[in-house]
Amino acid sequence: MFDRPSGADVAVLVSLDFGVTDYAESLEELRELAASAGVQVSVVVEGKRSRQDAAFFAGSGKVDEIGDVLRETGAGMVIFNHELSAGQQRNLERRLQTRVIDRTTLILDIFAQRARSHEGKLQVELAQLEHLATRLVRGWTHLERQKGGIGLRGPGETQLETDRRLLGKRVKLLKEKLVKLKRQHQVQRRARARGKVLSVSLVGYTNAGKSTIFNRLTHANAYVADQLFATLDTTSRRLYLGDAGEAVLSDTVGFIKHLPHSLVAAFRSTLTEAVEADLLLHVVDSASPNRELQIDEVNAVLEEIGADAPQIMLFNKIDIKGQAPGVERDEYGRISSVHVSALTGAGMNLIREILSEFGENLRAESSMPDEAITGSATTH
């Protein structure tokens, strides 16, 4: 009846439909997340509910169905397309006798695999520990018993209390290290600002093609793959724009729906390049049927982190629909969007042209009196 893949990283996916409009897209993203994490999916168990079950998230009958699938497929893990409470996770693992993780944990695992820079690794570890801290409230009852430990804790302290204390100390240390790195970045950004270098950040939904565009424009070799979260660490390169001078182009982590809040917070310093940019190039997968929802999700996160710089939309992957590259302007003649193909290179020259135009306009505004700038300010 079912395929029987072998190996530790074989999972059963569980996705429950609570009547939300983006259910199908969310399930497809879970499949892609699992593949990005190196997990082989044996079966997807679906169901409909009006609300979650307090004890098991899914109903008791659905949990029994998951158990049957586990026995028939030999899968060694269950991944829920939802966020589970510590109690629900514990109850499911006891009932199913296998490892159970939620969407948040899966995303955290992908981030842990992909982080390359020192700062990226620190941020991922911080997000993991802060997520783990929520699991130490009531989830790990097996740690409540007394345990000996020379040099690790005071008299009478339980293992759970020790774990909380050591975890808290590590979180504090990570935050201190990240603050130091943030100060270093601020010094670098101030130096760029003194040199009047245009700062541009590529932002967008994960797998929209940001890194491919970045490589095309800068001739860099940033990691590119057809998978979610291929880029985690912000990469910056200088870009020569002719008469408009130079720009610093930054490639940032992709966004996704239901991104764990702890990750948004932990990666705030990485996304500072977007927060402090002069211009955001918002890359959109124009071939995606859910592009409008993806645009809204990116803008929601940008608003949360305080990135309010002007935006120009880059509609990528026009080759899939056979569209021609081009630039669209609003009724005031300002650039609103550019249609390109990072894969074929079509329209890359247009991006350089609109960056040059924006840079020249910004330079002209910077030389104007303050009252004139106020009167001519625009938002793209």
Side-chain angles (χ1 to χ4, degrees):
M1 181 177 178
F2 298 112
D3 294 332
R4 283 188 166 275
S6 60
D9 292 330
V10 178
V12 171
L13 304 186
V14 179
S15 187
L16 301 180
D17 185 355
F18 292 96
V20 294
T21 56
D22 62 344
Y23 170 76
E25 182 188 11
S26 177
L27 176 54
E28 182 56 32
E29 282 184 353
L30 182 68
R31 293 178 188 270
E32 293 181 23
L33 286 168
S36 295
V39 174
Q40 186 176 355
V41 177
S42 61
V43 175
V44 178
V45 176
E46 297 183 70
K48 288 190 175 184
R49 286 186 67 86
S50 57
R51 62 181 183 273
Q52 61 174 274
D53 179 77
F56 295 102
F57 194 90
S60 183
K62 185 60 65 175
V63 175
D64 289 340
E65 180 185 341
I66 297 168
D68 292 339
V69 170
L70 283 169
R71 285 185 289 274
E72 292 190 47
T73 62
M77 185 191 319
V78 176
I79 303 175
F80 272 72
N81 191 27
H82 314 275
E83 186 163 354
L84 302 173
S85 71
Q88 288 167 338
Q89 183 179 0
R90 180 187 68 240
N91 293 340
L92 285 164
E93 288 186 340
R94 284 176 174 172
R95 179 84 164 259
L96 297 172
Q97 291 297 296
T98 195
R99 187 178 177 214
V100 176
I101 66 173
D102 59 10
R103 185 184 175 101
T104 297
T105 305
L106 179 62
I107 293 174
L108 285 167
D109 185 79
I110 295 170
F111 274 52
Q113 291 181 41
R114 301 279 165 74
R116 293 290 178 266
S117 71
H118 177 56
E119 182 177 17
K121 290 176 181 177
L122 291 178
Q123 289 170 328
V124 170
E125 184 183 353
L126 176 61
Q128 287 180 310
L129 291 180
E130 289 183 330
H131 182 63
L132 177 61
T134 66
R135 291 339 200 208
L136 288 176
V137 179
R138 291 188 303 275
W140 292 8
T141 53
H142 63 287
L143 297 181
E144 289 284 7
R145 60 181 179 274
Q146 295 287 133
K147 286 188 177 180
I150 298 173
L152 287 179
R153 53 188 170 273
E157 189 172 10
T158 67
Q159 181 65 41
L160 180 56
E161 289 167 343
T162 301
D163 285 350
R164 284 195 186 117
R165 182 165 53 84
L166 295 179
L167 186 148
K169 289 175 69 175
R170 181 63 180 168
V171 165
K172 181 181 178 183
L173 177 63
L174 289 171
K175 287 183 175 179
E176 288 172 352
K177 288 182 176 180
L178 285 168
V179 166
K180 290 181 180 178
L181 286 170
K182 182 178 180 180
R183 287 174 184 152
Q184 293 174 12
H185 293 326
Q186 287 173 339
V187 170
Q188 294 168 355
R189 279 189 288 272
R190 279 197 295 268
R192 291 207 300 261
R194 284 195 298 270
K196 295 183 179 179
V197 177
L198 177 67
S199 175
V200 182
S201 282
L202 290 164
V203 298
Y205 209 73
T206 185
N207 207 25
K210 295 183 304 300
S211 295
T212 306
I213 290 174
F214 179 81
N215 289 341
R216 285 275 188 184
L217 292 173
T218 65
H219 306 292
N221 58 350
Y223 179 65
V224 174
D226 185 17
Q227 57 187 201
L228 302 186
F229 302 122
T231 300
L232 287 187
D233 300 308
T234 297
T235 306
S236 298
R237 292 286 186 277
R238 284 186 177 263
L239 186 64
Y240 183 62
L241 299 175
D243 293 340
E246 285 188 333
V248 171
L249 184 66
S250 298
D251 184 20
T252 63
V253 62
F255 300 174
I256 194 170
K257 281 194 301 297
H258 314 305
L259 184 68
H261 187 76
S262 59
L263 273 182
V264 174
F267 275 75
R268 194 179 299 274
S269 57
T270 291
L271 292 169
T272 300
E273 295 291 348
V275 174
E276 300 190 3
D278 298 311
L279 175 66
L280 300 177
L281 294 180
H282 185 161
V283 182
V284 178
D285 179 355
S286 63
S288 170
N290 302 301
R291 60 184 177 274
E292 295 302 326
L293 290 173
Q294 293 173 358
I295 290 171
D296 291 343
E297 192 68 29
V298 171
N299 285 332
V301 176
L302 288 173
E303 183 178 354
E304 182 177 352
I305 65 174
D308 56 358
Q311 268 192 41
I312 293 177
M313 308 296 289
L314 290 188
F315 288 98
N316 187 29
K317 305 186 183 182
I318 59 172
D319 53 286
I320 294 178
K321 291 192 172 183
Q323 297 172 330
V327 175
E328 292 185 358
R329 297 176 181 269
D330 63 18
E331 62 270 29
Y332 303 105
R334 297 174 304 202
I335 303 159
S336 57
S337 64
V338 185
H339 296 259
V340 302
S341 169
L343 182 64
T344 66
M348 289 299 110
N349 61 314
L350 297 177
I351 298 178
R352 285 179 172 274
E353 289 174 11
I354 61 110
L355 288 179
S356 296
E357 181 178 330
F358 185 88
E360 289 172 356
N361 290 340
L362 192 66
R363 182 178 295 181
E365 286 183 1
S366 66
S367 63
M368 294 167 63
D370 289 346
E371 59 272 17
I373 294 174
T374 303
S376 63
T378 59
T379 301
H380 293 259

